[in-house]
Amino acid sequence: MNNDKRNVYLVGLMGAGKTTIGKALARRLAYHFVDTDHEVEARTGVGLPTIFEIEGEDGFRKREAQVIAELADLDAQVVATGGGAVLRPENRQNLRASGLVIYLDVPLPTLHERTRHDKKRPLLQVSDPRQKLRELHAQRDPLYREVADLVVSGSRITVQSVLNLLIKKVGEP
């Protein structure tokens, strides 16, 4: 990715594959991998459901924003952001200013299939998770597109497809 070692940020809804793609992409680029959700959990010592239960979504988003601000000061990071990270203007600014942002745009039926049994996703612990995913997509898709340098679409997004687009955009790693 040229010599500037900018960060690479992956954005998209929960279940889009940000962590899976991110880990593999970091290996290929010889960058460090960070999942912002996991970083918040590590710092608090509790899981996301507990944070949401005690502090609500706003409390979690504040913690997430702090992590993103700190990562924006680093180089050579591949960062899997939380699905709602783009909701805060300061996060969008930090992402754009410090790296290349890739939106993993996965169809809603695929997202539902990937997340339907996951009890660690607080926003989907509702009576109609499929409807909740539709609502989240309607709210967040414009923000993902606003911040993204690259949009990778499809239900079978692979590390190779992301890497190929990245290389086209910024050059060989």
Side-chain angles (χ1 to χ4, degrees):
M1 264 190 47
N2 297 336
N3 293 324
D4 62 358
K5 294 286 193 179
R6 296 176 69 203
N7 292 335
V8 176
Y9 298 99
L10 300 172
V11 299
L13 284 173
M14 58 189 95
K18 299 180 299 286
T19 299
T20 302
I21 296 289
K23 285 179 180 177
L25 195 57
R27 279 193 301 273
R28 294 286 296 273
L29 296 172
Y31 278 23
H32 182 254
F33 174 75
V34 180
D35 179 306
T36 60
D37 286 351
H38 295 162
E39 185 63 24
V40 169
E41 287 178 330
R43 290 179 183 200
T44 60
V46 297
L48 295 186
T50 303
I51 296 169
F52 271 71
E53 183 180 320
I54 294 170
E55 299 181 1
E57 184 174 358
D58 190 56
F60 168 75
R61 296 285 170 221
K62 287 177 185 170
R63 292 178 181 277
E64 177 183 61
Q66 179 63 40
V67 168
I68 289 171
E70 291 172 19
L71 290 170
D73 288 335
L74 303 176
D75 293 319
Q77 309 287 309
V78 172
V79 180
T81 64
V86 297
L87 295 172
R88 288 184 170 247
E90 67 266 33
N91 288 344
R92 295 194 304 274
Q93 168 59 32
N94 280 325
L95 297 177
R96 278 194 302 262
S98 64
L100 189 77
V101 182
I102 302 171
Y103 171 23
L104 302 182
D105 181 20
V106 175
L108 289 173
T110 303
L111 294 175
H112 180 258
E113 185 60 34
R114 291 179 183 174
T115 60
R116 66 189 179 114
H117 297 299
D118 191 341
K119 300 299 181 207
K120 294 182 181 174
R121 300 187 188 271
L123 294 180
L124 293 184
Q125 304 312 305
V126 295
S127 61
D128 189 351
R130 201 178 297 238
Q131 178 58 31
K132 183 65 174 180
L133 278 171
R134 278 193 290 275
E135 292 167 6
L136 293 171
H137 182 267
Q139 175 191 38
R140 297 175 181 179
D141 180 69
L143 298 173
Y144 295 141
R145 291 181 186 283
E146 171 192 319
V147 76
D149 295 295
L150 294 171
V151 177
V152 184
S153 297
S155 59
R156 292 197 174 105
I157 296 172
T158 65
V159 175
Q160 193 59 48
S161 66
V162 173
L163 195 59
N164 290 342
L165 283 172
L166 196 56
I167 289 168
K168 284 180 189 174
K169 178 77 174 176
V170 298
E172 285 291 331

